[in-house]
Amino acid sequence: MKLVIYQYKQEAAEALADIVAMQLQVAIDSRGKAGIAVPVGTTPTLFLKALGDIDLDWTKVNLTTTDERQVPVEHPRSNARLVKETLISREASNV
């Protein structure tokens, strides 16, 4: 295992997004599709934005959240809303 320490949160988020995107691409290349369960809440927001900026064939990616609150999608605390506003509002918008 390799330990990497990042000075800035944005740098760490982008590095993690690159790793996840690479794995998604490997799955798409080998199986024609990929799946990902994304964390939600305020902590992964930078990661979700960075992942959403990566050019992938998002139509081949099945996406789900690891948690959802019992609130309407429009609610400020909705995790589904957070995913729409971060990951899906970017390159991944064709999901």
Side-chain angles (χ1 to χ4, degrees):
M1 176 160 71
K2 178 181 176 185
L3 175 64
V4 179
I5 299 173
Y6 296 95
Q7 186 173 357
Y8 302 103
K9 291 178 188 178
Q10 184 66 41
E11 196 179 15
E14 290 171 2
L16 177 59
D18 287 341
I19 292 168
V20 170
M22 221 176 356
Q23 293 300 312
L24 289 171
Q25 189 61 58
V26 166
I28 292 168
D29 292 344
S30 65
R31 296 189 301 271
K33 62 184 177 180
I36 183 171
V38 295
V40 285
T42 56
T43 302
T45 300
L46 291 175
F47 161 69
L48 294 174
K49 286 180 181 178
L51 184 60
D53 285 340
I54 295 174
D55 183 22
L56 280 175
D57 185 352
W58 287 99
T59 62
K60 296 181 179 179
V61 178
N62 292 319
L63 172 71
T64 190
T65 59
T66 58
D67 175 39
E68 182 52 78
R69 294 180 171 92
Q70 297 293 350
V71 296
V73 174
E74 308 81 33
H75 192 278
R77 302 279 294 156
S78 168
N79 290 326
R81 183 193 55 77
L82 175 71
V83 169
K84 279 183 165 183
E85 291 177 357
T86 56
L87 178 63
I88 298 176
S89 70
R90 305 169 110 65
E91 280 292 329
S93 64
N94 62 4
V95 170

